[in-house]
């Protein structure tokens, strides 16, 4: 099974929720009309509401950045995408997200499966909120990243 098929199975109806909640909160579409999440040029990831939150979706760009297969990424605790020493910064952003439903211009350092570190910039993080106002986790997208020098 392809990474795309694995991610579609993992996300299910939440794929639509990723797009619809972003559009409601941002007032614009997440990807250009006629495009899909999987092949978007920007990285897109999403995790569920459990504690700790577990990733259930990453598009092709995100899997490439994190150097993981879909099978390995699904179920990964989202806090493990940040280095241990930088997790407080991520936790502060999530606390802001709890109050505001969307955080823009987020910047942070992430770590790939092989230990490669990269900076994400101008990221948008939002709550996955359905039509009834129920939260189903969070998602993030970013189009700017650069390697962290050794």
């Amino acid at each position: 099974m392809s990474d795309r098929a694995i991610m579609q199975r993992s996300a299910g109806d939440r794929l639509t929720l990723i797009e619809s909640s972003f559009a409601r909160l941002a007032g614009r579409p997440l990807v250009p009309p006629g495009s899909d999440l999987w092949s978007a040029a920007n990285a897109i990831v999403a995790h569920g509401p459990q504690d700790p939150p577990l990733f259930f979706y990453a598009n092709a760009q995100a899997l490439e950045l994190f150097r993981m297969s879909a099978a390995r990424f699904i179920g990964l605790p989202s806090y493990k995408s940040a280095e241990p020493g930088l997790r407080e910064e991520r936790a502060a952003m999530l606390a802001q997200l709890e109050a505001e439903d969307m955080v823009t211009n987020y910047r942070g350092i992430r770590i790939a499966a092989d230990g490669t570190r990269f900076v994400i910039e101008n990221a948008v993080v939002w709550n996955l909120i359905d039509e009834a106002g129920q939260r189903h986790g969070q998602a993030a997208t970013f189009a700017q990243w650069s390697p962290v020098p050794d």
Side-chain angles (χ1 to χ4, degrees):
M1 188 178 293
S2 70
D3 277 348
R4 181 181 192 142
I6 292 169
M7 281 299 174
Q8 286 176 324
R9 178 184 283 175
S10 171
D13 292 340
R14 295 177 291 186
L15 278 176
T16 302
L17 183 59
I18 292 170
E19 290 189 88
S20 64
S21 60
F22 181 89
R24 270 194 309 280
L25 292 166
R28 62 181 172 85
L30 177 57
V31 296
S35 300
D36 67 352
L37 297 182
W38 177 254
S39 56
N42 50 314
I44 301 169
V45 297
H47 66 237
Q50 61 275 72
D51 187 22
L54 304 176
F55 283 118
F56 67 81
Y57 184 78
N59 69 350
Q61 183 62 68
L63 289 179
E64 183 178 323
L65 280 170
F66 284 100
R67 295 189 167 112
M68 289 189 200
S69 66
R72 186 168 177 201
F73 194 84
I74 294 168
L76 179 75
S78 61
Y79 72 85
K80 288 191 174 184
S81 67
E83 288 187 298
L86 301 173
R87 291 179 184 163
E88 285 183 22
E89 164 191 287
R90 181 182 168 278
M93 179 273 300
L94 290 173
Q96 181 183 355
L97 183 64
E98 187 67 28
E100 299 175 15
D101 287 331
M102 180 172 269
V103 173
T104 59
N105 298 317
Y106 174 70
R107 181 182 189 280
I109 296 177
R110 294 295 175 263
I111 186 163
D114 65 359
T116 304
R117 297 165 53 228
F118 57 97
V119 178
I120 62 171
E121 301 200 46
N122 296 317
V124 178
V125 186
W126 69 100
N127 284 319
L128 298 175
I129 303 171
D130 66 20
E131 299 279 337
Q134 172 111 16
R135 287 189 186 172
H136 298 271
Q138 286 91 29
T141 187
F142 53 93
Q144 294 178 275
W145 58 86
S146 57
V148 173
D150 291 334

